Amino acid sequence: MFSVCIHYFEEFSGSGNCFKDLVFYVECLPHQEKAEFHRRIQKFIDGQVIEETKTKVGMVKWVTRMAGCSKFNYVDIMSDPVDKMQKEKLAYFIKTSLETYSTCLELLRGSEFQPGADIGILSAMTLINLSKIQHRPDSKGGPVAGASRGDVARPAAATSSSQGEGAEANDKSTKDAILEFQAAAILEHILQSSKNNYQALLMLVRLYIRLGAISLGFQVYYRFNIKNVQNDSLAHCSFTRISTLQPFPTPRDEETFVSDDNLDPALGIIRVLKSYSKDDKFAQMNSLAMKRGSYHQTLEFLNFQSQKDTSICKFMWQIERRRMSRLRGKPSGGVQEFDRMELDPITTTQSDNRDDAIFPSFEPTKDPSFEESVRVGPKPYDRWTSGFHLSEILYSEYLHNGKLRNTGFGPGDDTSIGSSLMDVLLFASGDGMNKDFTEAEKAFLSLQCSLAKLMRFLKTEESATPPGLPDLLEQVEIHLKSEIASTKRYSHPTEMDAKLGFRFLTWKFFHKVYLGLEGLQSITYFLKWSANIKQNEDKPANTLKKDGIANVNSLVHELYQAIRAAATYHKGMLMETGVMASMVDHALGRDEAGLENLVGGVIEEVLGEAHMEIISTNVIESWKVALDGILKVEID
């Protein structure tokens, strides 16, 4: 098989599909033959350089060969066991890839077709993988003998959602953010010469959102010009959890002509939801198929319509729209009455039409796809939509001052929202711990569960059973005290903050803060609801104590002020002079030694300092917009 692989590469490496066709077989080769394969293909490419670079067509072919060779090298490095040399191997691969990318770019300068862009994308992907090497699963921070890169990645992903806790975790998050910032700068450079590079655009959307520069992510996202049929495949790249990242529109720049849809995520959500609305197109297509005798197409159209109607993304966007509206000051979630959605996400078998295969991935076949490395939290599934749908029903009850209505489980079913939420959370804390929810989302839904039970006991005619009202109210107080303690940490500089002069504000910060504000809204709605209803005074166990309500009110105010103080603190840091220069210096590794300096040096050589300054300025301005959004949220 070795000789066949060599022959195939020599014959077809000038085609962009060579790597995809051959990689599985190369991975199956014994270690020695695999090493010889890499040596032989590099020797073959070196032997072709003089002849093939004489013409423009030959240059494209040679650059395509180089891109294929780099992909095989990437897979080889990613397949190596994690050891003390792994970080060094990745750093030198980044250096070599960027230098090769620069050479290929120079050869095809001015051409719209840039196969060498794949080499630049590989260097960006390797930077992301460096963060996995930095976070070891063992206590001493050393490598796990014999562990593969995929084995290291999973523990890191499992703990990533809680890294906002503590100065040490914040410093680790900052180091990761610097690597992601470097990767984003490389992708921006690629898009200067290859404006419609689909893979670079997809990666850049995710990286900007992970960096907390949400408005920049949307600017890139709308360059796709997505058609309705593509929404399930692509919209989730930017709209997942958007209401807890940036629910407010980006202020309009007078010098930039951008539509409101591209500046306001709420309008973007509404536009996407319109693609799920029922229309006559499918009926017309079915009628035409029947007339023509294409009966197989009728079934395909019906299946497509069903998948669209029950799409998990449709339920997600309805929830995001409501939450976004509430954070903007519309208690009803932008809807006068609670529409129970055309279909109930709890009782409906949801269709997952999201296609992660569209995302660039050159990982070894035994490892998770690269898309998992740049997700904004765990990928939401039906548990996510069910949990937050129950939360939306709870908001509806607050606004209608009524008894708990049927939650969608069927007539005569007395299952309460509180116990239903508990079922969702028990699953989330068990085998499905990281399947649907971030840690902040689990805390929020736990709060909703306590509030739902409080509501039930306040309206019931029977004595409350344990846990009673005092215990449930205490759970709310414990939640608020925990949120206050974790939020106040954001207002104190860590060692890395002092070194940088600011903090890299990743998506985790905004996600936690906005969910905290959403939780405060939920508590204030509940307190107003409880004040308006007639409580059962004959049963003291079913009555809220005034001192308990006062304590909760005081904690709500304290958390709200802590959140505002954190946002004001970070915005003040970003307003200081020298922030952009510090950001550039650290991205280019000027204040570092060893591998960080090596990587930063080649980035400066290939991309240039001016390019890094532009990207830094844009990210800082995007952070300011996001922080302004936090300060706009009001809690009564």
Side-chain angles (χ1 to χ4, degrees):
M1 189 166 65
F2 169 75
S3 59
V4 174
C5 289
I6 292 293
H7 178 73
Y8 192 91
F9 184 87
E10 291 176 351
E11 288 293 323
F12 302 105
S13 57
S15 164
N17 293 324
C18 177
F19 170 79
K20 187 176 180 180
D21 295 339
L22 201 56
V23 62
F24 173 79
Y25 303 100
V26 173
E27 287 189 90
C28 294
L29 293 174
H31 179 72
Q32 290 183 341
E33 290 187 355
K34 195 182 297 183
E36 180 65 15
F37 172 82
H38 289 286
R39 189 189 69 80
R40 290 274 295 273
I41 63 174
Q42 187 61 58
K43 182 179 179 181
F44 170 75
I45 292 173
D46 292 342
Q48 298 292 316
V49 62
I50 297 176
E51 183 65 28
E52 291 188 341
T53 54
K54 290 180 180 179
T55 65
K56 192 67 173 286
V57 174
M59 287 181 186
V60 171
K61 196 171 184 179
W62 185 82
V63 170
T64 304
R65 295 187 198 276
M66 281 300 301
C69 181
S70 296
K71 291 173 186 176
F72 282 114
N73 291 337
Y74 175 85
V75 172
D76 187 50
I77 293 175
M78 293 298 107
S79 301
D80 286 346
V82 176
D83 55 26
K84 294 180 180 179
M85 299 296 293
Q86 180 75 345
K87 186 175 180 180
E88 185 175 339
K89 291 176 184 176
L90 294 177
Y92 276 99
F93 179 79
I94 293 168
K95 180 179 184 297
T96 304
S97 296
L98 281 177
E99 290 172 344
T100 306
Y101 159 72
S102 181
T103 300
C104 295
L105 186 63
E106 191 63 35
L107 282 173
L108 298 178
R109 186 166 297 280
S111 173
E112 293 184 3
F113 181 56
Q114 294 285 345
D118 283 357
I119 305 175
I121 291 173
L122 286 172
S123 64
M125 295 170 73
T126 310
L127 281 165
I128 305 303
N129 281 311
L130 265 177
S131 66
K132 297 176 182 178
I133 305 301
Q134 289 181 160
H135 305 312
R136 307 289 189 177
D138 62 316
S139 59
K140 297 181 181 179
V144 178
S148 70
R149 184 190 60 83
D151 296 329
V152 174
R154 289 184 180 87
T159 59
S160 63
S161 57
S162 61
Q163 287 182 353
E165 303 292 329
E168 183 180 352
N170 277 325
D171 287 347
K172 288 180 179 179
S173 182
T174 297
K175 291 177 181 178
D176 288 348
I178 291 174
L179 293 170
E180 292 179 356
F181 175 76
Q182 291 173 326
I186 293 172
L187 296 172
E188 284 281 18
H189 192 271
I190 290 171
L191 291 170
Q192 289 179 359
S193 57
S194 186
K195 295 181 179 180
N196 298 315
N197 189 302
Y198 199 79
Q199 294 181 327
L201 287 169
L202 271 174
M203 276 187 65
L204 191 56
V205 170
R206 282 284 182 86
L207 287 179
Y208 273 145
I209 293 177
R210 284 179 60 84
L211 284 168
I214 319 299
S215 60
L216 292 181
F218 269 89
Q219 289 178 24
V220 177
Y221 168 74
Y222 284 115
R223 289 167 62 177
F224 286 116
N225 193 23
I226 294 175
K227 309 301 181 187
N228 286 348
V229 73
Q230 299 171 307
N231 274 316
D232 272 11
S233 298
L234 286 172
H236 69 92
C237 290
S238 61
F239 284 122
T240 298
R241 297 187 170 93
I242 187 60
S243 62
T244 60
L245 299 174
Q246 185 173 318
F248 291 90
T250 303
R252 177 176 292 280
D253 185 348
E254 295 180 359
E255 298 179 359
T256 305
F257 297 97
V258 182
S259 68
D260 290 339
D261 285 11
N262 294 3
L263 294 173
D264 190 344
L267 293 178
I269 286 278
I270 291 172
R271 183 171 65 182
V272 171
L273 281 172
K274 286 181 180 178
S275 68
Y276 297 101
S277 61
K278 291 187 178 296
D279 51 42
D280 297 328
K281 291 182 180 178
F282 285 99
Q284 293 172 1
M285 289 189 292
N286 278 328
S287 177
L288 187 61
M290 293 293 287
K291 288 180 180 179
R292 293 178 175 177
S294 303
Y295 304 117
H296 66 284
Q297 287 186 327
T298 302
L299 181 60
E300 291 175 1
F301 291 147
L302 290 173
N303 288 336
F304 186 78
Q305 177 71 63
S306 175
Q307 288 179 339
K308 192 180 81 163
D309 290 341
T310 60
S311 168
I312 190 172
C313 288
K314 175 183 176 182
F315 296 125
M316 287 168 59
W317 308 153
Q318 288 175 326
I319 291 168
E320 296 288 354
R321 176 177 65 92
R322 290 176 171 279
R323 186 158 54 189
M324 207 177 299
S325 296
R326 274 195 302 273
L327 288 168
R328 292 184 179 195
K330 299 177 181 178
S332 61
V335 183
Q336 291 184 355
E337 292 187 7
F338 179 75
D339 57 343
R340 294 188 47 185
M341 305 185 186
E342 295 176 13
L343 296 172
D344 194 318
I346 298 172
T347 57
T348 301
T349 302
Q350 300 174 41
S351 302
D352 189 359
N353 307 319
R354 295 168 292 185
D355 185 8
D356 294 331
I358 62 175
F359 214 85
S361 184
F362 305 109
E363 309 304 295
T365 53
K366 65 182 178 62
D367 284 350
S369 68
F370 181 77
E371 186 271 340
E372 295 184 31
S373 303
V374 289
R375 284 179 181 169
V376 182
K379 189 176 182 180
Y381 289 94
D382 54 349
R383 289 281 174 172
W384 192 96
T385 55
S386 298
F388 283 102
H389 177 62
L390 289 168
S391 178
E392 291 301 321
I393 295 177
L394 198 57
Y395 277 112
S396 176
E397 299 302 329
Y398 296 148
L399 298 171
H400 286 82
N401 289 336
K403 296 180 180 180
L404 286 177
R405 292 176 293 179
N406 191 289
T407 58
F409 291 87
D413 193 335
D414 60 355
T415 306
S416 72
I417 295 178
S419 60
S420 302
L421 275 170
M422 184 58 71
D423 290 342
V424 172
L425 289 168
L426 286 174
F427 176 85
S429 61
D431 294 337
M433 180 178 292
N434 296 298
K435 187 177 181 181
D436 286 47
F437 303 104
T438 64
E439 292 299 321
E441 288 170 338
K442 291 177 188 176
F444 173 80
L445 289 178
S446 294
L447 171 66
Q448 296 293 79
C449 181
S450 297
L451 294 177
K453 290 181 178 180
L454 278 168
M455 177 186 285
R456 179 186 179 190
F457 289 150
L458 285 173
K459 295 298 294 181
T460 186
E461 296 181 357
E462 301 176 359
S463 297
T465 55
L469 290 184
D471 294 329
L472 289 169
L473 204 59
E474 185 180 355
Q475 289 177 13
V476 175
E477 292 181 17
I478 291 171
H479 169 85
L480 288 170
K481 289 175 181 178
S482 174
E483 290 294 304
I484 290 168
S486 60
T487 301
K488 285 184 175 179
R489 293 193 186 104
Y490 286 117
S491 297
H492 299 286
T494 65
E495 181 180 344
M496 196 69 178
D497 294 345
K499 187 177 180 181
L500 285 168
F502 68 100
R503 181 178 297 180
F504 267 85
L505 296 173
T506 66
W507 71 273
K508 297 172 188 175
F509 169 78
F510 296 105
H511 179 64
K512 180 176 177 61
V513 166
Y514 275 118
L515 271 176
L517 290 168
E518 172 83 343
L520 292 183
Q521 285 187 334
S522 182
I523 294 171
T524 55
Y525 290 166
F526 167 77
L527 293 176
K528 288 180 180 179
W529 175 87
S530 64
N532 290 332
I533 67 167
K534 183 180 179 182
Q535 298 185 20
N536 194 339
E537 298 177 356
D538 295 333
K539 297 185 181 294
N542 296 44
T543 305
L544 289 175
K545 304 296 183 182
K546 290 183 179 180
D547 56 344
I549 295 176
N551 287 339
V552 170
N553 265 320
S554 176
L555 291 171
V556 165
H557 178 74
E558 185 177 353
L559 177 54
Y560 179 60
Q561 293 304 321
I563 288 173
R564 291 182 64 84
T568 303
Y569 168 75
H570 286 295
K571 187 174 180 183
M573 292 181 74
L574 295 176
M575 298 296 287
E576 296 289 336
T577 57
V579 170
M580 185 270 288
S582 174
M583 195 171 182
V584 171
D585 286 343
H586 280 79
L588 298 180
R590 290 173 176 169
D591 297 330
E592 304 290 341
L595 298 179
E596 287 80 4
N597 183 266
L598 173 73
V599 173
V602 72
I603 289 176
E604 182 173 11
E605 179 184 341
V606 175
L607 307 188
E609 183 177 4
H611 176 78
M612 300 301 291
E613 289 177 350
I614 293 171
I615 306 301
S616 299
T617 301
N618 291 340
V619 169
I620 291 169
E621 291 303 315
S622 184
W623 282 339
K624 291 178 182 177
V625 169
L627 290 170
D628 284 337
I630 294 173
L631 297 173
K632 290 177 182 177
V633 179
E634 296 181 357
I635 304 295
D636 297 334

